Amino acid sequence: MTFVRRLLDQSKLPLTVTEFWRYSFFYWGIFAVITLGQFTMLWLLQQGVAMRSHELFIWLLDGLFWWSTTPLVLYASLKIPIAFKVRQSTLLKPVLYHLLIVTFLNILINTFHWYITNPLMFFVIGKNLPFESYLFSFFTAYTGSFGQYMLLVVGFNKVSYIYRYQELKQQHFETEISNEQLRGQLANAQLQSLKMQLNPHFLFNTLHAVVSLMLKNDIRKATLMITTLSDLLRSVLVNQQSDFIPLREELMLTRQYLDIQQIRFQDRLNVEYKIDPAAELYPVPQLILQPLVENSVTHGISDVTTNALIRITAEMSTAGLRIVIFDNGTGANQRKISKGMGLGLKNTVLRLRQAYGEHAQFIFDQPSEGGTYVTIHFQGEPKKIRTDDEAYQSYNR
């Protein structure tokens, strides 16, 4: 029973040991009945009588023998599989191995009859069969037994392959689901990580400005800046679980940030908004504009003494959303040119790449006549974390 159980586990057939023996009995029983009909007709044609009881007994022993060898046959089919999608020379080798096994089993059953069944027949009916009769039986039954054996081997190989393939497919599917979830969790973690890097960066610069105002004894401005900062942080906390928010809400956060900077710069800073109403509901990563306007303030207009300007433009088209942030600072003519992008711009590029892949563009331009243009272009919906059902549907397309 243990051997049969291991055999079924290895073949992945969803059968119990009892069902295995039942189906095996049914398989060999079909051929046993066919053989009985053939022998009966031969006896009637040759001798004019039906098979006698002792001959039926031998027929029954043959059927039980082949039924009992089923685990051995199936074990051999697993160890020596027959695959038809191979070269003929490769196919010939396993067939020869199975031919040797069938030969051995036929010799074994005839040896059993010669040494066990034949003496019993002599004891019961007073005579036994000559050795030539067993040789005749061996050669006449050999072709039929080989065909039955090979049919079982090939059929079992095919059925076992189907069930093993289905199990591997299921394992692959479960692995794909797990990978989809892990990729989604990783993407979400990366977005959260990048966003959380921006918050301390922004807070540091704002608190530094508050400290500067307090050192100048400008308590009113410092208090107003802290109050505005509190409103900004409250708005951020409301959407802290959201990776994407409508552009309208993102612009509100940007306005709050620029309100803080206008407190700092007073009349020196002017802010203009040109927002297409159709763009206000477009989903964008939270705090995607803040580091861009902060870059305009820190590296653009910080040295401008009068009429500093920051202009935010958002346009909606069939190609997606286009946002341009312009400042009239020194731009390419600035004396101190920073090497590469700062933390804010680098994180913005990373967040866009993480959220939109190749469907987003980031353009940083400083014309020779001065000023800086930062353009971001969203050309599609942001990537979202797929659920199990969505991953299942994607896998089965």
Side-chain angles (χ1 to χ4, degrees):
M1 292 297 180
T2 304
F3 176 76
V4 174
R5 184 69 267 166
R6 289 203 307 267
L7 181 68
L8 292 174
D9 292 339
Q10 187 176 356
S11 64
K12 307 304 179 183
L13 264 66
L15 297 176
T16 64
V17 176
T18 302
E19 289 174 335
F20 168 81
W21 286 113
R22 185 187 306 150
Y23 290 131
S24 300
F25 184 83
F26 179 74
Y27 175 81
W28 291 109
I30 292 175
F31 293 108
V33 171
I34 295 174
T35 303
L36 177 61
Q38 290 176 327
F39 285 163
T40 300
M41 292 303 298
L42 287 174
W43 244 250
L44 289 173
L45 292 173
Q46 290 181 357
Q47 303 181 18
V49 294
M51 294 177 63
R52 292 178 288 271
S53 58
H54 64 277
E55 294 165 339
L56 288 172
F57 177 69
I58 295 175
W59 164 82
L60 180 61
L61 287 179
D62 285 344
L64 292 175
F65 170 80
W66 287 108
W67 176 55
S68 64
T69 61
T70 304
L72 175 62
V73 174
L74 299 187
Y75 177 78
S77 71
L78 290 178
K79 293 300 181 181
I80 314 173
I82 296 179
F84 293 98
K85 294 183 179 180
V86 294
R87 294 176 301 175
Q88 186 175 1
S89 58
T90 308
L91 178 63
L92 182 61
K93 186 176 180 180
V95 172
L96 289 176
Y97 277 122
H98 287 294
L99 183 63
L100 290 175
I101 295 173
V102 174
T103 304
F104 169 76
L105 293 176
N106 274 280
I107 293 175
L108 181 62
I109 184 60
N110 281 279
T111 302
F112 174 82
H113 286 321
W114 175 254
Y115 286 102
I116 304 297
T117 310
N118 211 12
L120 288 176
M121 288 178 59
F122 182 80
F123 178 77
V124 174
I125 64 175
K127 66 175 183 178
N128 53 20
L129 295 177
F131 181 74
E132 291 78 7
S133 298
Y134 288 101
L135 286 178
F136 178 79
S137 174
F138 172 81
F139 288 111
T140 55
Y142 186 82
T143 304
S145 61
F146 179 72
Q148 297 164 21
Y149 174 94
M150 291 302 296
L151 179 62
L152 180 59
V153 167
V154 174
F156 183 74
N157 274 165
K158 186 65 176 179
V159 173
S160 176
Y161 172 80
I162 292 173
Y163 277 102
R164 282 183 290 178
Y165 172 77
Q166 289 296 329
E167 182 176 5
L168 289 175
K169 185 177 179 180
Q170 179 65 25
Q171 291 176 355
H172 177 70
F173 165 71
E174 292 174 355
T175 302
E176 284 295 313
I177 290 292
S178 177
N179 288 341
E180 287 290 341
Q181 292 174 337
L182 290 175
R183 281 193 287 267
Q185 292 169 4
L186 176 61
N188 186 56
Q190 289 174 335
L191 286 171
Q192 290 291 340
S193 175
L194 292 170
K195 188 169 68 176
M196 293 307 295
Q197 287 180 30
L198 293 176
N199 292 340
H201 183 66
F202 158 66
L203 286 174
F204 172 79
N205 291 335
T206 304
L207 293 176
H208 179 73
V210 172
V211 171
S212 298
L213 290 173
M214 294 183 69
L215 290 176
K216 295 177 182 179
N217 293 321
D218 197 340
I219 305 301
R220 185 186 65 82
K221 289 183 181 180
T223 302
L224 181 59
M225 185 175 289
I226 291 176
T227 303
T228 309
L229 175 62
S230 175
D231 294 337
L232 172 59
L233 293 179
R234 187 178 295 109
S235 299
V236 172
L237 290 174
V238 169
N239 295 302
Q240 63 177 337
Q241 300 300 325
S242 301
D243 292 320
F244 302 94
I245 60 176
L247 178 63
R248 178 173 54 196
E249 297 182 21
E250 176 66 17
L251 287 171
M252 182 183 67
L253 298 176
T254 305
R255 283 191 176 95
Q256 290 173 326
Y257 169 79
L258 289 174
D259 286 345
I260 294 173
Q261 299 305 324
Q262 284 183 308
I263 295 172
R264 173 185 169 191
F265 287 94
Q266 292 186 328
D267 297 333
R268 291 168 49 198
L269 175 60
N270 297 311
V271 181
E272 296 180 0
Y273 297 93
K274 295 183 178 180
I275 309 300
D276 184 354
E280 292 186 348
L281 296 180
Y282 196 94
V284 297
Q286 185 184 13
L287 291 179
I288 197 68
L289 298 182
Q290 184 274 329
L292 303 182
V293 295
E294 182 179 0
N295 184 75
S296 296
V297 172
T298 305
H299 302 288
I301 65 170
S302 58
D303 295 329
V304 178
T305 56
T306 58
N307 297 323
L309 172 65
I310 293 178
R311 181 188 303 118
I312 301 176
T313 305
E315 299 175 346
M316 196 69 188
S317 67
T318 56
L321 175 64
R322 182 173 178 268
I323 301 176
V324 180
I325 298 176
F326 166 77
D327 70 75
N328 64 344
T330 54
N333 299 321
Q334 62 183 344
R335 293 180 180 179
K336 296 182 180 180
I337 301 177
S338 59
K339 296 182 180 180
M341 292 184 291
L343 175 64
L345 293 185
K346 286 182 178 179
N347 277 353
T348 299
V349 173
L350 289 174
R351 293 181 70 198
L352 287 173
R353 186 180 303 165
Q354 183 66 43
Y356 293 87
E358 300 298 326
H359 298 290
Q361 294 180 346
F362 181 91
I363 302 173
F364 186 84
D365 184 31
Q366 291 181 320
S368 57
E369 61 269 19
T372 300
Y373 291 86
V374 177
T375 304
I376 51 178
H377 189 191
F378 306 93
Q379 294 179 317
E381 291 294 326
K383 298 177 183 177
K384 70 173 184 175
I385 311 308
R386 289 200 277 186
T387 63
D388 288 355
D389 290 340
E390 291 169 327
Y392 176 85
Q393 293 172 2
S394 173
Y395 176 75
N396 283 279
R397 284 186 185 132

